[in-house]
Amino acid sequence: MREKLPALIITFAATTQALAAEDFCQREGLPGRLIPVPREITAGCGLAWKAPPQEETRLPARLTEAGIQWSQARVIPV
Amino acid sequence: MIYLDNAATTLQKPAQVISAVTEAMGSMGNASRGAHEGALEASRAVYRARAKLADFFGCPRADHVVFTCNATEALNIAINGLVPPGGCAVTTDWEHNSVLRPLYRLEAKRGVKLRFLPQDGFPAHADVVVCTHASNVTGDVRDLEEMGKIAHDAGALFIVDAAQTAGSIPIDMEKMGIDVLCFTGHKGLMGPQGTGGVCVRSGVEIAPWKVGGSGTDSFNPFQPSPMPTRLEAGTLNGHGIAGLSAAVDFIQQTGIEAIHAKEDGLARRFYERIKGIEGVKIYGDFSPPLRAPIVSLNIGDYDSASLSDELSQRYGICTRPGAHCAPRMHRALGAEGQGVVRFSFSYFNTEEEADAAAHAVAELAAE
């Protein structure tokens, strides 16, 4: 298996919020993609947004500004 | 065949609805069940449909659009999830059994008090007011803004059954004061059968009526509380929802006002051609400008089932006889034994079809 590398993982309470985040990031040209929630994080929704770790501050702030509710934003090896 | 049973289901669908369902059946996995491309394709399609329907009905949040398999399921979710044991529910004689039977069961099993307007008067307090936007028998339309105000003045939540109007008559939840809107996808919205939904105003918390698989939070012994998962247990009809999404696109592109104008014009054209025929009794009030495109009638005391069969066998005209799952309305109309024959029009009907139906009624009435 490939080596795990640090990444920003943003979790959501519901799938609709995860999909709203994907829609927003794609429209705004923000990096990342949807992945299954890693075991290191517990979340209500099975989808998480994975992005480069340097987005740790900017990306959650942009989601909040857009009215998209997220649960956790953590940099972990995935 | 001349299909005039659109209040039961629209038979002619926009071509893009059929294409969308076919494409979805070849590409979609299970929405909210994983992060592989097939599952995400389905999740995205469902999410887009929620967003479109929220915009279409004036529902402030896409995640407050809950998908169901029809209006009956939507109404069961709303009624069972909002009326407490021993509570009070207010409704009307216009209602379909999709409203009446959940209420009657709550009355019998949970001691809920039922009040029918206008004969029972409005109680000082009620938990919910639930009413149809338009009668599925007469096509008469309720003033929702007025009814919503009455509901809220009594501290009640306002639940609307839009089975006969969604897609045919504009609905704005916020403007009309609707707390919970229940709709079906396969009638005026011209989507596939097996689709429908509940739109829930922010702040209204409906207790889950059905519980089960959610694809998330699997170790939680109870249904997860976030919307829409709270009210959506089990696999969604993703293929149907993709079709419904395309249907909303068609309505938005065509314009709901244009759709209503055509449907209403056809119904009134038919009405104008039959209203003076001796022996024909027409039900409903055709004086208001806003109506659902329904014309129900009887000829003398002829059985409605036999009349509908004559229309089908001799003229190829599809209508719906009987009681239309609306027992109180039929009693109020004095049509409990005879039933009535319902002609209901869609955007895809033509003036020639309306005229052919009127001609058939005239011939049968003369016999």
Side-chain angles (χ1 to χ4, degrees):
Chain A
M1 298 295 285
R2 68 169 174 78
E3 182 189 358
K4 291 189 173 186
L5 298 170
L8 170 65
I9 301 298
I10 302 175
T11 62
F12 306 89
T15 305
T16 47
Q17 296 299 331
L19 291 157
E22 182 191 55
D23 183 51
F24 174 74
C25 289
Q26 287 178 347
R27 278 190 286 110
E28 295 293 313
L30 296 167
R33 68 179 178 90
L34 288 171
I35 64 164
V37 177
R39 59 185 288 180
E40 290 86 349
I41 300 179
T42 55
C45 163
L47 297 175
W49 187 254
K50 178 187 174 188
Q54 56 268 32
E55 294 289 341
E56 186 177 11
T57 305
R58 179 178 76 139
L59 225 159
R62 291 292 304 275
L63 293 178
T64 301
E65 283 169 21
I68 297 166
Q69 296 167 338
W70 47 274
S71 301
Q72 296 181 62
R74 287 169 54 188
V75 172
I76 58 169
V78 287
Chain B
M1 177 173 72
I2 297 175
Y3 187 82
L4 298 177
D5 195 15
N6 295 286
T9 193
T10 44
L11 187 148
Q12 293 137 301
K13 310 290 187 185
Q16 56 261 56
V17 171
I18 298 164
S19 299
V21 174
T22 307
E23 284 170 23
M25 292 189 79
S27 64
M28 277 173 44
N30 196 336
S32 299
R33 303 294 191 273
H36 57 74
E37 200 48 39
L40 287 177
E41 177 80 11
S43 296
R44 290 172 187 135
V46 169
Y47 175 73
R48 285 194 295 270
R50 287 190 211 281
K52 287 177 196 174
L53 285 159
D55 179 57
F56 188 69
F57 289 129
C59 180
R61 294 179 57 145
D63 60 355
H64 280 225
V65 176
V66 171
F67 285 113
T68 64
C69 60
N70 49 44
T72 292
E73 186 185 0
L75 286 157
N76 268 274
I77 287 170
I79 292 168
N80 286 290
L82 287 173
V83 184
C88 178
V90 177
T91 189
T92 81
D93 282 339
W94 289 19
E95 308 312 316
H96 188 277
N97 272 336
S98 55
V99 167
L100 294 174
R101 283 179 173 156
L103 289 175
Y104 287 146
R105 187 167 66 174
L106 289 179
E107 182 181 42
K109 304 284 187 189
R110 287 204 221 164
V112 167
K113 295 173 215 48
L114 291 190
R115 296 286 181 271
F116 285 87
L117 294 178
Q119 63 269 37
D120 293 342
F122 207 94
H125 171 78
D127 293 287
V128 302
V129 171
V130 52
C131 77
T132 186
H133 191 185
S135 164
N136 70 316
V137 180
T138 64
D140 291 350
V141 169
R142 278 268 176 234
D143 183 338
L144 292 185
E145 286 187 54
E146 182 189 346
M147 192 64 110
K149 187 172 184 317
I150 291 170
H152 294 152
D153 285 349
L157 292 170
F158 185 35
I159 304 169
V160 171
D161 170 8
Q164 291 301 330
T165 55
S168 294
I169 295 175
I171 295 171
D172 186 325
M173 287 181 68
E174 199 155 331
K175 185 176 165 220
M176 294 170 163
I178 299 169
D179 296 300
V180 182
L181 179 75
C182 301
F183 66 93
T184 188
H186 69 99
K187 296 185 180 183
L189 284 169
M190 297 184 278
Q193 295 177 6
T195 61
V198 189
C199 298
V200 186
R201 181 177 62 74
S202 296
V204 175
E205 297 217 339
I206 301 177
W209 176 59
K210 63 175 186 177
V211 297
S214 59
T216 63
D217 205 6
S218 294
F219 289 91
N220 183 347
F222 303 105
Q223 189 70 11
S225 59
M227 290 283 281
T229 312
R230 177 190 186 90
L231 303 178
E232 281 179 353
T235 293
L236 293 175
N237 177 7
H239 305 139
I241 291 167
L244 179 59
S245 185
V248 174
D249 287 341
F250 174 83
I251 292 170
Q252 295 281 40
Q253 287 155 11
T254 308
I256 191 168
E257 287 81 8
I259 288 170
H260 174 71
K262 181 169 182 192
E263 293 176 346
D264 184 58
L266 291 170
R268 289 183 191 273
R269 182 183 179 95
F270 174 65
Y271 168 76
E272 290 297 328
R273 280 158 175 69
I274 63 167
K275 68 179 184 185
I277 298 173
E278 189 178 345
V280 173
K281 182 177 183 183
I282 303 170
Y283 300 88
D285 182 1
F286 286 76
S287 59
L290 191 62
R291 288 184 47 77
I294 288 170
V295 183
S296 287
L297 59 83
N298 273 315
I299 297 178
D301 59 359
Y302 204 68
D303 175 26
S304 68
S306 299
L307 175 54
S308 181
D309 192 49
E310 289 283 302
L311 287 162
S312 174
Q313 293 300 308
R314 288 171 55 182
Y315 301 95
I317 297 171
C318 304
T319 60
R320 173 85 188 279
H324 310 94
C325 303
R328 296 182 74 98
M329 187 57 152
H330 273 260
R331 281 190 200 115
L333 295 173
E336 189 173 354
Q338 186 179 13
V340 304
V341 179
R342 181 181 69 188
F343 297 72
S344 48
F345 296 83
S346 95
Y347 181 71
F348 290 108
N349 286 125
T350 64
E351 291 184 349
E352 290 73 26
E353 289 177 327
D355 291 351
H359 179 72
V361 171
E363 277 195 354
L364 290 169
E367 289 179 357

